[in-house]
Amino acid sequence: MRNTNAIHCLAGVLGLGGVLAMCPINASFAFDPGAAPAANVQTTPVEAFRQGAQAYFAGNKQKAVDALSFAAENGVPAAQWKLGRMYADGDGVAEDDLKAFKYFSRIADQHADDSPGSEQAPYVASAFVALGSYYLTGIQNTAIKPNVRRAREIFTYAASYFGNADAQYNLGRLYLAGSANEKPDPHMAARWLKLAALKDHYEAQATLGKLLFFDDAVGQNRVRGLMWLTVALPHAHGKKDAWIVETQERAFSLASEAERRRAMKLAQNWNQKDIASR
């Protein structure tokens, strides 16, 4: 139990919650990539993960990769996930989407049936989302080709079994867009987007708001649409989120005074509830 608890709290320093200082682990042997093999064998995977996390935030990315690789090869899913993210982002290593894909695939293959309430579940769900995203675009010059159907299957699993908000959002977008073989399904899109929106996924909130305000196909609800756009607005930053600002402003200008008042009241109630729950 000590090892799984350590993984859970150490995991946060690499991106998904937790605080390193709250996770004391009395390592008997330090992980030194330059040490003799016999010494490294005595380092436990969780201890290596801990040291990899410390090295990462100390700016020693090479030591972090060495330690995390040891932990990953010995079955620590959080280490596998972090290495996948590092290779996907070119963070301390040369960007390599195929290596990232392989790390995420290992997590998915080994932990797909883990309980959604398990300590490693956030990493497993995130790995599925990463795999789904790769199948949407493919990986150039590899056997991983664009496969929207496969991406949808993967997102559906992460969205339904793990309840992952990113998967729910991506699934909603796929249903909105449709494909060569399937027509857009705004009703299914709204269903998945709402699940993500209720988890404070601001892009899902904005997309749902746009759908409800402007799309007659879902039974237009301008008040709810403007409400979700307004809730998402404070989280919109940079060029990639400019569409949220523009859409909210457009919806606000088209809404009647009564619709604006009701939408603003709903947004205020949502924000107060959100603050109270933290």
Side-chain angles (χ1 to χ4, degrees), residues 30-116:
F31 184 89
D32 179 0
N40 283 342
V41 166
Q42 297 176 82
T43 303
T44 70
V46 172
E47 289 162 352
F49 176 56
R50 172 181 180 269
Q51 291 162 35
Q54 291 175 326
Y56 180 87
F57 281 98
N60 190 340
K61 299 292 179 72
Q62 184 56 58
K63 183 176 180 181
V65 169
D66 291 335
L68 291 170
S69 296
F70 177 85
E73 291 304 315
N74 285 277
V76 179
Q80 294 166 346
W81 178 85
K82 184 56 182 178
L83 284 169
R85 288 263 41 99
M86 290 177 75
Y87 279 109
D89 300 334
D91 180 13
V93 294
E95 185 175 335
D96 191 327
D97 286 317
L98 187 59
K99 281 188 178 179
F101 182 90
K102 289 178 178 177
Y103 275 115
F104 294 134
S105 294
R106 188 183 306 180
I107 297 171
D109 290 342
Q110 295 175 352
H111 299 280
D113 296 327
D114 286 7
S115 167

Side-chain angles (χ1 to χ4, degrees), residues 123-183:
Y123 298 98
V124 182
S126 181
F128 272 103
V129 172
L131 291 172
S133 299
Y134 277 126
Y135 274 112
L136 279 181
T137 61
I139 301 176
Q140 193 172 10
N141 300 321
T142 73
I144 311 304
K145 305 302 180 185
N147 188 333
V148 175
R149 181 178 179 180
R150 180 63 177 144
R152 181 179 292 181
E153 291 172 348
I154 292 171
F155 287 142
T156 299
Y157 186 77
S160 56
Y161 184 71
F162 288 104
N164 180 272
D166 287 327
Q168 291 165 346
Y169 168 63
N170 282 307
L171 195 54
R173 291 180 63 199
L174 285 180
Y175 277 111
L176 267 182
S179 66
N181 300 317
E182 296 183 23
K183 294 180 180 180

